[in-house]
RNA sequence: GCAUCCGUAGCUCAAUUGGAUAGAGCUUCUGACUUCGGAUCAGAAGGUUGUAGGUUCGAGUCCUACCGGAUGCGCCA
């Protein structure tokens, strides 16, 4: 055990190893819609997917993140009518998403009441699909404005994508795909639509997949299959992970079953078929146990949610700072940054802590609590360790390249043992796609550290004991920081 | 009706995938050298794991039935 700690202290590893051989993994997550505000419905997919991407990259895998945005569909007919008739240019400049949302709501209501408007929307959609220059221009503009919104939010969340290939990207591939599926005998006509049946799969016997509607149009199953084909050709992945809510389970069962049938139809060997995983999650509920909404019943916009997280965290920071002696307060100009890191960390942690498959109740008070299994508690544990090193500066020999860890106290041994299992925890998460394992692991690290901290003086001890304990502190800080980084959560030197 | 998931302490959740006395937090109660940062720690209280069977040396975990809940179920995504 001491050998492992010493080699980690020398920077040779951090209790985990790179995967051999590395796999290529495509991760599909977030997937917001063009011309609509991102809302709480996108948060779990975004945070979970980003976390899995960070973890798999750290373990040495080749990860491809692809944001499959909703940039195509019947809603654009209505949006185009609205844009041409009612666009308020000033509103578009100040709040593009808000203005597009207004247009959509207004036209959507009008279409229900007025057949002429509905017909106009249909015609605009047909023109767009036919390549009409003006409509294409407007459509591109809507995507550009939406992407700016996505980028702002992803920037705040620290989320990055390698690719953003929306639904429209696959339009040219839909017709050939359907033709291939017919040629291979996988799809046949039924009640005017083109359908894939799964007679040999009991669970799907009653649930065939529609890949072409009776009006000749394609739907999202068609697009998802085309997307799958493109990903296979482009990246040759070993695994593709879809991060969506649990309501889409049946859809993905169909996609996966169609994929298997297709692979066997083209004679692909079993071992060469990529693994497909639907990493699904439950809903976020309000305190009343119903889907999380604002007081007025609107969906909660993600931008507002993040603003509120920071502002609530600021109140906490301010309260805590004012409780301290003036000499021990941090400069006031640092408070907003502390609030930002604590607030966003709290939201992410609250989302990753519960088993992803269960619904959870969104509670500001719980996620921002300073005690219990929360992000601020972990960030605090980290800041305390950093404080030790600020005080130790100049009096420590910790930069030596040889270390001699000596574990004596019960608390030292418990902490050290737990650090050694970091790698096992990471592998379990990579296998089952369950970041809550990491949350619990880190909470235990922090708990064992504070227990050690209470019982084993570091700076007040001397000689080899002091050096050894400093190394243990340093390793704990590194594991905490690395673990939180996988969760997409930042740490602070002081808070 | 069928499918998927769930039911664990008053509340919110865990349980390393079938292992030893089911663990945390919140809440309540009791303590901690004028603190290496008290945004902390130690302790107490709190359980027939929805019910009834079954498999197993061993079940919160697997199987069956029932009770209760969430979600989904051909032309939205």
């Amino acid at each position: 055990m001491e050998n492992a700690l010493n080699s980690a202290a020398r920077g040779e590893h951090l209790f985990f190893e790179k995967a051999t051989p590395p796999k290529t993994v495509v991760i599909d997550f977030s997937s917001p819609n063009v011309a609509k505000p991102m809302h709480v419905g996108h948060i779990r997919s975004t945070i979970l997917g980003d976390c899995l991407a960070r973890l798999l990259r750290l373990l040495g895998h080749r990860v491809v993140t692809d944001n499959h945005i909703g940039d195509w569909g019947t809603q654009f007919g209505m949006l185009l009518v609205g844009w041409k008739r009612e666009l308020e240019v000033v509103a578009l400049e100040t709040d593009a998403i808000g203005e597009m949302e207004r247009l959509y709501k207004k036209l959507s209501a009008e279409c229900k009441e007025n057949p002429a408007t509905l017909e106009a929307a249909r015609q605009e959609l047909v023109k767009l699909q036919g390549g009409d220059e003006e409509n294409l221009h407007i459509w591109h503009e809507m995507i550009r404005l939406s992407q700016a919104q996505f980028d702002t939010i992803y920037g705040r969340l620290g989320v990055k994508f390698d690719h953003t290939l929306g639904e429209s990207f696959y339009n040219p591939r839909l017709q050939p795909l359907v033709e291939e599926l017919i040629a291979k005998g996988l799809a046949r006509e039924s009640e005017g639509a083109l359908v894939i049946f799964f007679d040999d799969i009991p669970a799907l016997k009653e649930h065939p997949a529609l890949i072409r509607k009776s009006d000749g149009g394609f739907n999202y199953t068609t697009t998802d299959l085309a997307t799958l084909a493109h990903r296979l050709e482009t990246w040759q992945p070993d695994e593709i992970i879809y991060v969506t809510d649990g309501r889409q389970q049946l859809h993905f069962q169909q996609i996966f079953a169609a994929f298997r049938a297709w692979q066997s139809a083209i004679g692909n060997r079993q071992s060469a078929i990529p693994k497909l995983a639907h990493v699904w999650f439950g809903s976020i509920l309000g305190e009343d146990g119903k889907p999380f909404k604002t007081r007025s019943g609107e969906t909660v916009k993600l931008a507002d949610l993040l603003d509120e997280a920071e502002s609530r965290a600021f109140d906490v920071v301010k309260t805590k700072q004012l409780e301290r002696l003036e000499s021990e307060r941090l400069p006031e100009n640092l408070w907003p940054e502390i609030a930002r890191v604590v607030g966003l960390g709290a939201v992410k942690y609250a989302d990753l802590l519960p088993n992803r498959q269960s619904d959870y109740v969104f509670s500001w008070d719980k996620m921002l609590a300073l005690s219990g299994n929360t992000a601020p508690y972990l960030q605090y544990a980290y800041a305390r360790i950093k404080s030790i090193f600020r005080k130790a500066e100049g009096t420590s020999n910790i930069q030596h390249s040889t270390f001699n860890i000596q574990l004596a106290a019960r608390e030292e041994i418990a902490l050290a043992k737990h650090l050694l299992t970091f790698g096992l925890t990471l592998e379990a998460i990579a296998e089952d796609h369950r970041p809550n394992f990491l949350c619990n692991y880190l909470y235990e690290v922090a708990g064992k550290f504070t227990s050690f901290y209470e019982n084993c003086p570091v700076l007040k001890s001397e000689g080899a004991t002091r050096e050894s304990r400093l190394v243990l502190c340093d390793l704990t800080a590194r594991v905490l920081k690395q673990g939180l980084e996988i969760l997409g959560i930042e740490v602070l030197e002081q808070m």
Side-chain angles (χ1 to χ4, degrees), chain A residues 12 87 126 147 166 187 256 353 357 384-385 392 397 405 429 444 461 469 489:
Chain A
E12 292 166 14
L87 184 67
V126 168
Q147 189 63 49
F256 293 0
L353 177 63
Q357 290 177 330
R384 282 170 113 188
I385 300 176
N397 293 320
I405 287 256
I429 302 160
E444 284 167 10
S461 59
R469 286 180 176 172
I489 296 172

Side-chain angles (χ1 to χ4, degrees), chain A residues 31-36 67-77 79 125 128 136 139-140 142-144 146-147 150 164-171 223:
Chain A
S31 313
N33 292 313
V34 163
K36 289 182 186 168
N67 197 359
H68 192 71
I69 61 171
D71 65 356
W72 199 249
T74 50
Q75 73 272 27
F76 285 100
L79 279 164
L125 185 66
L128 175 67
L136 272 178
W139 174 68
H140 279 301
M142 289 192 243
I143 292 175
R144 188 183 67 78
S146 301
Q147 189 63 49
F150 302 154
T164 299
L165 299 175
E167 292 165 357
S168 65
F169 176 80
Y170 301 96
N171 285 343
T223 309

Side-chain angles (χ1 to χ4, degrees), chain A residues 242 362 411 418:
Chain A
Y242 296 88
F362 193 90
E411 291 83 0
H418 202 58

Side-chain angles (χ1 to χ4, degrees), chain A residues 79-87 92 103 138 141-142:
Chain A
L79 279 164
L80 282 163
V81 175
W83 185 285
K84 290 180 180 181
R85 287 187 190 169
E86 328 234 355
L87 184 67
L92 192 73
L103 293 177
I138 296 172
E141 187 63 6
M142 289 192 243

Side-chain angles (χ1 to χ4, degrees), chain A residues 318-375:
Chain A
K318 186 177 175 185
T319 306
K320 283 294 165 189
Q321 290 295 328
L322 294 179
E323 279 174 8
R324 291 180 189 177
L325 297 174
E326 212 162 326
S327 58
E328 289 174 0
R329 279 181 207 153
L330 298 171
E332 208 165 328
N333 63 353
L334 297 180
W335 297 0
E337 172 63 4
I338 296 170
R340 186 187 67 79
V341 172
V342 169
L344 295 178
V347 168
K348 287 189 175 188
Y349 196 81
D351 201 67
L352 294 168
L353 177 63
N355 181 327
R356 62 176 160 78
Q357 290 177 330
S358 50
D359 298 345
Y360 79 93
V361 175
F362 193 90
S363 163
W364 287 114
D365 291 340
K366 278 184 186 160
M367 72 180 74
L368 283 167
L370 306 167
S371 55
N373 195 351
T374 65

